[in-house]
Amino acid sequence: MTKRKSKGAYMISAVAEMYEIHPQTLRLYEREGLLKPSRTEGNTRLYSEEDLEQLETILSLTRDLGVNLAGVEIILNMREKMGEMQAQIQEFVATLNRELVAHSGRPPATDERTCLIPVVNARSRR
């Protein structure tokens, strides 16, 4: 559902038009805590690339999968926690590999098939 071509910030009217939704829907998503656009000094909402990615996820869940907003909130929170856990696991594996190198004197394996613990980066699979 990627519909954007440039980087930057987008006003609510542009985002609503790009995704064929009413601006009130975007305001609702913000009130529910699902989107957190930044604000200008004049209090205008500005949606970043990350906000648009989040919106695409929300729209996919609601439009394509029929998930209600309470379910969307749960799914988004779980995805965030899973990302944090993945980062912790990657740090643990890196620490473990450093310790193994320090104790064995050999460089760590770079081939996933020969690694002690292969780590899959969930973010790169999107």
XYZ file of all heavy atoms in Angstrom, residues 40-115:
595
model
N 3.122 21.517 14.407
C 3.860 22.758 14.157
C 3.560 23.719 15.296
O 2.721 23.434 16.160
C 3.428 23.414 12.828
O 2.059 23.814 12.951
C 3.607 22.475 11.660
N 4.208 24.869 15.295
C 3.917 25.883 16.310
C 2.473 26.338 16.230
O 1.874 26.719 17.221
C 4.871 27.072 16.166
C 6.279 26.744 16.607
C 7.211 27.942 16.503
O 6.725 29.086 16.468
O 8.425 27.717 16.468
N 1.892 26.274 15.031
C 0.495 26.637 14.850
C -0.452 25.486 15.128
O -1.637 25.556 14.833
N 0.060 24.381 15.661
C -0.703 23.199 16.059
C -1.219 22.375 14.874
O -2.164 21.600 15.014
C -1.856 23.571 16.999
C -2.138 22.462 17.985
O -1.264 21.667 18.311
N -3.366 22.391 18.452
N -0.623 22.524 13.707
C -0.979 21.722 12.538
C -0.312 20.358 12.649
O 0.872 20.272 12.959
C -0.506 22.426 11.238
O -1.120 23.705 11.173
C -0.850 21.614 10.011
N -1.078 19.317 12.386
C -0.521 17.961 12.422
C 0.399 17.752 11.226
O 0.040 18.087 10.099
C -1.648 16.932 12.358
C -2.480 16.841 13.581
C -3.687 15.922 13.313
N -4.516 15.773 14.490
C -5.480 16.614 14.841
N -5.739 17.676 14.102
N -6.192 16.392 15.930
N 1.561 17.150 11.478
C 2.488 16.783 10.420
C 2.816 15.302 10.561
O 3.276 14.855 11.608
C 3.765 17.618 10.500
C 3.631 19.098 10.160
C 4.970 19.792 10.333
C 3.094 19.288 8.756
N 2.569 14.559 9.493
C 2.776 13.114 9.499
C 4.106 12.798 8.823
O 4.356 13.183 7.686
C 1.632 12.420 8.764
C 0.314 12.555 9.487
C -0.501 13.667 9.294
C -0.092 11.580 10.383
C -1.705 13.802 9.986
C -1.297 11.709 11.072
C -2.089 12.825 10.867
O -3.269 12.950 11.550
N 4.961 12.070 9.528
C 6.274 11.676 9.027
C 6.152 10.377 8.241
O 5.093 9.745 8.194
C 7.230 11.473 10.199
O 6.805 10.349 10.959
N 7.258 9.962 7.642
C 7.292 8.673 6.938
C 6.935 7.531 7.892
O 6.208 6.609 7.527
C 8.689 8.430 6.335
C 9.042 9.367 5.207
C 8.184 9.163 3.965
O 7.871 8.015 3.635
O 7.833 10.165 3.333
N 7.433 7.609 9.134
C 7.125 6.566 10.121
C 5.627 6.563 10.456
O 5.032 5.499 10.622
C 7.946 6.772 11.398
C 9.438 6.535 11.228
C 10.171 7.735 10.600
O 9.635 8.868 10.627
O 11.268 7.523 10.067
N 5.043 7.750 10.544
C 3.601 7.837 10.791
C 2.825 7.193 9.648
O 1.827 6.498 9.881
C 3.148 9.294 10.947
C 3.714 9.973 12.180
O 3.869 9.295 13.221
O 4.007 11.182 12.099
N 3.281 7.417 8.421
C 2.589 6.835 7.270
C 2.734 5.316 7.252
O 1.785 4.602 6.897
C 3.106 7.449 5.967
C 2.865 8.953 5.795
C 3.345 9.413 4.426
C 1.413 9.325 6.017
N 3.898 4.811 7.642
C 4.069 3.356 7.747
C 3.109 2.787 8.788
O 2.487 1.747 8.568
C 5.511 3.015 8.121
C 6.495 3.219 7.002
C 7.922 2.955 7.434
O 8.135 2.295 8.482
O 8.829 3.400 6.720
N 3.005 3.479 9.918
C 2.080 3.053 10.975
C 0.639 3.090 10.457
O -0.141 2.170 10.697
C 2.238 3.958 12.201
C 1.373 3.589 13.373
C 2.018 2.578 14.285
O 2.848 1.779 13.879
N 1.635 2.602 15.532
N 0.290 4.139 9.725
C -1.051 4.257 9.163
C -1.329 3.120 8.188
O -2.423 2.545 8.199
C -1.230 5.613 8.468
C -2.568 5.828 7.757
C -3.739 5.717 8.731
C -2.572 7.176 7.046
N -0.357 2.781 7.373
C -0.531 1.672 6.432
C -0.798 0.365 7.170
O -1.636 -0.431 6.753
C 0.694 1.539 5.524
C 0.780 2.650 4.521
C 2.027 2.597 3.658
O 2.787 1.600 3.751
O 2.242 3.542 2.884
N -0.104 0.166 8.277
C -0.342 -1.024 9.087
C -1.757 -1.010 9.653
O -2.473 -2.023 9.591
C 0.689 -1.113 10.231
O 2.005 -1.169 9.672
C 0.449 -2.334 11.110
N -2.169 0.133 10.184
C -3.517 0.263 10.751
C -4.565 -0.015 9.682
O -5.516 -0.780 9.905
C -3.718 1.676 11.351
C -2.826 1.864 12.570
C -5.190 1.912 11.714
C -2.700 3.315 13.024
N -4.391 0.582 8.505
C -5.369 0.396 7.433
C -5.394 -1.042 6.937
O -6.458 -1.575 6.623
C -5.085 1.371 6.284
C -5.310 2.842 6.610
C -4.890 3.716 5.430
C -6.754 3.107 7.002
N -4.242 -1.667 6.882
C -4.194 -3.072 6.478
C -4.948 -3.946 7.479
O -5.722 -4.825 7.094
C -2.738 -3.524 6.365
O -2.678 -4.904 6.092
N -4.715 -3.688 8.757
C -5.396 -4.478 9.789
C -6.904 -4.256 9.759
O -7.679 -5.206 9.867
C -4.842 -4.128 11.172
C -3.421 -4.600 11.457
C -2.898 -3.955 12.740
C -3.369 -6.115 11.562
N -7.325 -3.003 9.601
C -8.763 -2.715 9.652
C -9.458 -3.055 8.344
O -10.508 -3.705 8.355
C -9.021 -1.232 10.003
O -8.351 -0.394 9.078
C -8.560 -0.921 11.414
N -8.889 -2.649 7.221
C -9.540 -2.862 5.919
C -9.428 -4.307 5.431
O -10.417 -4.897 4.998
C -8.929 -1.948 4.854
C -9.275 -0.494 5.006
C -8.560 0.322 3.952
N -8.969 1.723 3.989
C -8.394 2.671 3.266
N -7.386 2.387 2.465
N -8.817 3.922 3.354
N -8.219 -4.829 5.478
C -7.971 -6.142 4.887
C -8.305 -7.297 5.817
O -8.745 -8.356 5.372
C -6.508 -6.262 4.444
C -6.105 -5.177 3.452
O -7.007 -4.625 2.785
O -4.901 -4.885 3.355
N -8.079 -7.094 7.113
C -8.260 -8.199 8.056
C -9.465 -8.027 8.960
O -9.776 -8.922 9.748
C -6.992 -8.373 8.897
C -5.716 -8.674 8.092
C -4.509 -8.712 9.004
C -5.869 -9.980 7.323
N -10.117 -6.874 8.914
C -11.321 -6.659 9.706
C -11.087 -6.515 11.192
O -11.990 -6.748 11.994
N -9.892 -6.099 11.584
C -9.566 -5.939 13.001
C -10.157 -4.618 13.489
O -10.070 -3.595 12.809
C -8.033 -5.958 13.212
C -7.671 -5.728 14.669
C -7.440 -7.263 12.697
N -10.767 -4.630 14.680
C -11.299 -3.374 15.235
C -10.156 -2.583 15.884
O -9.041 -3.077 16.017
C -12.450 -3.635 16.214
C -12.025 -4.398 17.451
O -10.853 -4.442 17.812
N -12.987 -5.004 18.118
N -10.447 -1.351 16.303
C -9.379 -0.486 16.816
C -8.752 -1.011 18.106
O -7.557 -0.824 18.329
C -9.892 0.943 17.004
C -10.257 1.670 15.711
C -10.638 3.117 16.007
C -9.130 1.615 14.697
N -9.547 -1.661 18.947
C -8.969 -2.251 20.162
C -7.971 -3.343 19.785
O -6.888 -3.450 20.375
C -10.075 -2.815 21.049
N -8.317 -4.133 18.794
C -7.404 -5.171 18.322
C -6.164 -4.585 17.680
O -5.054 -5.095 17.864
N -6.339 -3.500 16.929
C -5.202 -2.824 16.306
C -4.233 -2.354 17.384
O -3.020 -2.536 17.264
C -5.669 -1.637 15.432
C -4.489 -0.777 14.997
C -6.442 -2.136 14.214
N -4.768 -1.768 18.445
C -3.907 -1.287 19.533
C -3.106 -2.435 20.138
O -1.897 -2.312 20.370
C -4.747 -0.604 20.607
C -3.921 -0.057 21.748
C -4.756 0.641 22.805
O -5.988 0.467 22.827
O -4.147 1.346 23.625
N -3.754 -3.546 20.379
C -3.066 -4.716 20.954
C -1.977 -5.207 20.006
O -0.840 -5.471 20.418
C -4.079 -5.834 21.269
C -4.972 -5.397 22.437
C -3.371 -7.147 21.564
C -6.177 -6.290 22.658
N -2.305 -5.307 18.730
C -1.339 -5.803 17.744
C -0.146 -4.857 17.633
O 1.009 -5.298 17.617
C -2.024 -6.001 16.376
C -3.000 -7.179 16.461
C -0.996 -6.224 15.272
C -3.963 -7.282 15.289
N -0.401 -3.558 17.587
C 0.699 -2.600 17.492
C 1.595 -2.647 18.724
O 2.822 -2.572 18.610
C 0.159 -1.185 17.271
C -0.540 -0.931 15.934
C -1.084 0.493 15.879
C 0.364 -1.220 14.758
N 0.986 -2.772 19.901
C 1.777 -2.878 21.129
C 2.618 -4.149 21.126
O 3.788 -4.127 21.530
C 0.877 -2.833 22.365
C 0.323 -1.453 22.632
O 0.889 -0.447 22.216
N -0.801 -1.392 23.327
N 2.026 -5.249 20.667
C 2.775 -6.504 20.601
C 3.932 -6.403 19.615
O 5.031 -6.893 19.886
C 1.846 -7.659 20.223
C 0.923 -8.072 21.347
S -0.276 -9.333 20.872
C 0.743 -10.609 20.205
N 3.700 -5.774 18.476
C 4.769 -5.608 17.480
C 5.915 -4.787 18.061
O 7.088 -5.096 17.838
C 4.229 -4.934 16.224
C 3.408 -5.836 15.347
C 2.787 -5.086 14.206
N 3.779 -4.337 13.463
C 3.902 -4.329 12.143
N 3.073 -5.040 11.425
N 4.825 -3.612 11.558
N 5.572 -3.744 18.792
C 6.604 -2.899 19.410
C 7.413 -3.702 20.429
O 8.646 -3.651 20.442
C 5.956 -1.690 20.083
C 6.955 -0.731 20.680
C 6.285 0.485 21.307
O 5.170 0.837 20.909
O 6.904 1.059 22.221
N 6.721 -4.460 21.269
C 7.417 -5.275 22.276
C 8.277 -6.347 21.609
O 9.389 -6.632 22.073
C 6.416 -5.901 23.229
C 5.821 -4.896 24.191
C 4.815 -5.513 25.116
C 4.202 -4.418 25.996
N 3.113 -4.894 26.795
N 7.776 -6.939 20.536
C 8.553 -7.951 19.821
C 9.815 -7.342 19.220
O 10.882 -7.957 19.234
C 7.701 -8.616 18.738
C 6.658 -9.553 19.312
S 5.452 -10.162 18.103
C 6.460 -10.769 16.802
N 9.704 -6.115 18.699
C 10.881 -5.426 18.168
C 11.907 -5.164 19.249
O 13.115 -5.337 19.036
N 11.433 -4.752 20.422
C 12.339 -4.514 21.554
C 13.013 -5.819 21.986
O 14.219 -5.835 22.251
C 11.572 -3.910 22.724
C 11.097 -2.486 22.484
C 10.093 -1.996 23.520
O 9.790 -2.742 24.480
O 9.617 -0.854 23.364
N 12.241 -6.890 22.043
C 12.813 -8.183 22.430
C 13.828 -8.661 21.397
O 14.871 -9.212 21.753
C 11.716 -9.224 22.628
C 10.879 -8.987 23.860
S 9.721 -10.308 24.305
C 8.901 -10.669 22.798
N 13.531 -8.449 20.109
C 14.466 -8.844 19.058
C 15.782 -8.085 19.213
O 16.850 -8.664 19.080
C 13.857 -8.588 17.676
C 14.734 -9.022 16.524
C 14.893 -10.533 16.436
O 13.968 -11.272 16.740
N 16.056 -10.981 16.034
N 15.699 -6.787 19.525
C 16.915 -5.994 19.729
C 17.703 -6.524 20.929
O 18.939 -6.605 20.880
C 16.557 -4.528 19.927
N 17.003 -6.892 22.003
C 17.675 -7.451 23.178
C 18.347 -8.783 22.842
O 19.473 -9.039 23.281
C 16.678 -7.637 24.315
C 16.183 -6.348 24.916
C 15.061 -6.560 25.919
O 14.498 -7.643 26.034
N 14.719 -5.501 26.641
N 17.673 -9.602 22.070
C 18.252 -10.891 21.674
C 19.488 -10.669 20.822
O 20.519 -11.326 21.010
C 17.205 -11.754 20.934
C 16.136 -12.231 21.911
C 17.865 -12.939 20.224
C 14.925 -12.871 21.245
N 19.411 -9.731 19.874
C 20.573 -9.450 19.029
C 21.749 -8.950 19.858
O 22.891 -9.338 19.618
C 20.206 -8.438 17.941
C 19.333 -9.041 16.868
C 18.872 -8.024 15.841
O 18.670 -6.864 16.161
N 18.696 -8.485 14.619
N 21.481 -8.105 20.840
C 22.547 -7.617 21.714
C 23.129 -8.753 22.544
O 24.340 -8.854 22.718
C 22.036 -6.494 22.616
C 23.089 -5.937 23.549
C 24.337 -5.427 22.836
O 24.227 -4.879 21.731
O 25.435 -5.599 23.418
N 22.268 -9.640 23.042
C 22.731 -10.793 23.813
C 23.628 -11.688 22.964
O 24.698 -12.117 23.404
C 21.536 -11.587 24.352
C 21.924 -12.880 24.988
C 22.529 -12.905 26.238
C 21.711 -14.086 24.340
C 22.898 -14.109 26.831
C 22.078 -15.291 24.926
C 22.677 -15.296 26.170
N 23.200 -11.959 21.726
C 23.984 -12.816 20.842
C 25.316 -12.145 20.510
O 26.358 -12.804 20.488
C 23.182 -13.164 19.567
C 24.063 -13.830 18.531
C 22.006 -14.051 19.922
N 25.304 -10.844 20.284
C 26.554 -10.133 19.999
C 27.503 -10.221 21.197
O 28.703 -10.462 21.033
C 26.258 -8.672 19.647
N 26.955 -10.043 22.394
C 27.768 -10.162 23.611
C 28.307 -11.578 23.753
O 29.485 -11.774 24.062
C 26.933 -9.781 24.855
O 26.465 -8.443 24.693
C 27.745 -9.895 26.131
N 27.459 -12.553 23.505
C 27.872 -13.950 23.585
C 28.982 -14.238 22.588
O 29.992 -14.880 22.928
C 26.667 -14.865 23.331
C 26.892 -16.362 23.435
C 27.361 -16.750 24.825
C 25.615 -17.097 23.076
N 28.837 -13.752 21.368
C 29.873 -13.959 20.355
C 31.178 -13.277 20.752
O 32.258 -13.841 20.547
C 29.399 -13.466 18.986
C 28.468 -14.452 18.319
O 28.551 -15.648 18.535
N 27.561 -13.933 17.511
N 31.094 -12.068 21.333
C 32.322 -11.388 21.786
C 33.010 -12.202 22.882
O 34.232 -12.327 22.905
C 31.997 -9.982 22.280
C 31.723 -8.984 21.177
C 31.682 -7.545 21.685
N 30.633 -7.315 22.665
C 29.383 -6.953 22.370
N 29.030 -6.780 21.118
N 28.501 -6.749 23.327
N 32.220 -12.739 23.794
C 32.782 -13.558 24.874
C 33.432 -14.828 24.313
O 34.509 -15.229 24.761
C 31.691 -13.929 25.884
C 31.212 -12.769 26.727
C 32.287 -12.256 27.667
O 33.051 -13.070 28.232
O 32.372 -11.025 27.830
N 32.779 -15.460 23.354
C 33.345 -16.665 22.746
C 34.665 -16.366 22.046
O 35.620 -17.139 22.149
C 32.350 -17.277 21.754
C 31.144 -17.979 22.363
C 30.144 -18.358 21.282
C 31.580 -19.216 23.146
N 34.714 -15.231 21.343
C 35.941 -14.837 20.661
C 37.038 -14.561 21.689
O 38.179 -14.991 21.524
C 35.707 -13.591 19.768
C 37.017 -13.000 19.291
C 34.823 -13.953 18.592
N 36.670 -13.874 22.762
C 37.661 -13.545 23.789
C 38.228 -14.801 24.434
O 39.409 -14.849 24.762
C 37.022 -12.645 24.850
N 37.400 -15.822 24.594
C 37.856 -17.039 25.265
C 38.487 -18.046 24.308
O 39.313 -18.842 24.720
C 36.701 -17.696 26.006
C 36.291 -16.954 27.237
N 36.451 -15.597 27.415
C 35.708 -17.382 28.378
C 35.995 -15.225 28.580
N 35.525 -16.282 29.198
N 38.102 -18.014 23.040
C 38.629 -19.014 22.108
C 39.757 -18.474 21.244
O 40.524 -19.245 20.690
C 37.514 -19.530 21.197
O 37.121 -18.524 20.280
N 39.813 -17.153 21.075
C 40.859 -16.566 20.244
C 40.548 -16.637 18.763
O 41.340 -16.192 17.944
N 39.382 -17.185 18.381
C 39.016 -17.277 16.962
C 37.964 -16.218 16.642
O 37.120 -15.907 17.484
C 38.422 -18.654 16.648
C 39.432 -19.773 16.759
C 38.857 -21.045 16.237
N 37.525 -21.285 16.828
C 37.089 -22.443 17.234
N 37.836 -23.508 17.116
N 35.892 -22.580 17.736
N 37.990 -15.711 15.418
C 36.943 -14.742 15.032
C 35.582 -15.442 14.946
O 35.520 -16.643 14.683
C 37.393 -14.231 13.664
C 38.349 -15.249 13.154
C 38.947 -15.942 14.365
N 34.506 -14.711 15.165
C 33.175 -15.322 15.104
C 32.834 -15.745 13.681
O 33.318 -15.172 12.711
C 32.239 -14.210 15.574
C 32.977 -12.945 15.289
C 34.430 -13.283 15.456
N 32.011 -16.762 13.573
C 31.562 -17.237 12.272
C 30.647 -16.192 11.647
O 29.832 -15.583 12.323
C 30.817 -18.556 12.433
N 30.794 -16.004 10.349
C 29.934 -15.037 9.668
C 28.833 -15.725 8.880
O 27.872 -15.094 8.491
C 30.757 -14.152 8.712
O 31.467 -14.990 7.811
C 31.724 -13.282 9.495
N 28.981 -17.002 8.652
C 27.970 -17.763 7.932
C 26.888 -18.200 8.917
O 27.180 -18.849 9.919
C 28.617 -18.990 7.275
C 27.643 -19.784 6.424
O 26.481 -19.352 6.279
O 28.056 -20.835 5.909
N 25.631 -17.843 8.648
C 24.528 -18.164 9.566
C 24.441 -19.653 9.872
O 24.043 -20.047 10.948
C 23.187 -17.685 8.994
C 22.914 -16.244 9.231
C 21.489 -15.877 8.853
O 20.646 -16.773 8.681
O 21.233 -14.676 8.736
N 24.820 -20.486 8.906
C 24.707 -21.937 9.119
C 25.697 -22.450 10.161
O 25.477 -23.487 10.760
C 24.910 -22.676 7.801
C 23.779 -22.402 6.805
C 24.094 -22.967 5.472
N 25.200 -22.168 4.942
C 25.873 -22.456 3.843
N 25.594 -23.519 3.159
N 26.845 -21.678 3.429
N 26.776 -21.690 10.377
C 27.774 -22.139 11.342
C 27.765 -21.322 12.626
O 28.564 -21.569 13.515
C 29.183 -22.079 10.719
O 29.449 -20.730 10.335
C 29.301 -23.012 9.537
N 26.866 -20.349 12.738
C 26.764 -19.551 13.954
C 26.188 -20.382 15.082
O 25.377 -21.282 14.854
C 25.870 -18.335 13.737
S 26.627 -17.068 12.728
